[in-house]
Amino acid sequence: MKLVIAVIQDKDSNRLSNALVREGFRATKLASTGGFLRAGNTTFMIGIEDERVHEVLHVINSNCKVRDQLVTPVSPMGGSTDSYIPFPVEVQVGGAAVFVVPVERFEHF
């Protein structure tokens, strides 16, 4: 048995949740916050048999898309802010950060 932990952008959350249910996968959905953009994320925890991990990964990959987003960097710490003019920078966000970890024991009460 494996535990699949998928951290995805909030914009993909409902689509992924519906796809997991449609494919018969049960998941626990947690609200989380990203460190880089400090934006809302959703973390899915999915317990799955070893032989079905590739199916779950396919569903995640099909429903979580990378997209470009303009971000204005925060002003530098220290120094003069008079000469600092922040310009938006385009970064890629979204997709999924997925961890697959072994489960030593699973109990359901």
Side-chain angles (χ1 to χ4, degrees):
M1 177 162 248
K2 300 285 191 240
L3 175 62
V4 176
I5 303 167
V7 181
I8 66 160
Q9 194 175 31
D10 277 345
K11 290 180 180 179
D12 296 325
S13 177
N14 285 336
R15 182 174 45 250
L16 178 58
S17 183
N18 292 336
L20 288 169
V21 169
R22 193 170 44 252
E23 297 296 324
F25 298 113
R26 295 174 57 182
T28 298
K29 197 167 133 175
L30 305 169
S32 53
T33 303
F36 176 61
L37 298 175
R38 292 172 181 42
N41 290 328
T42 301
T43 300
F44 285 85
M45 296 182 3
I46 307 159
I48 195 73
E49 298 83 8
D50 290 355
E51 60 274 2
R52 296 195 68 201
V53 169
H54 69 283
E55 295 175 50
V56 170
L57 294 178
H58 177 72
V59 171
I60 293 169
N61 185 41
S62 299
N63 289 279
C64 300
K65 303 299 179 195
V66 174
R67 55 185 64 83
D68 293 328
Q69 180 175 324
L70 286 176
V71 176
T72 303
V74 294
S75 61
M77 299 301 278
S80 172
T81 57
D82 295 336
S83 62
Y84 180 74
I85 302 172
F87 291 101
V89 178
E90 190 172 70
V91 296
Q92 285 190 331
V93 297
V98 182
F99 304 89
V100 180
V101 295
V103 173
E104 185 175 316
R105 183 174 169 175
F106 171 73
E107 299 284 342
H108 187 217
F109 302 106

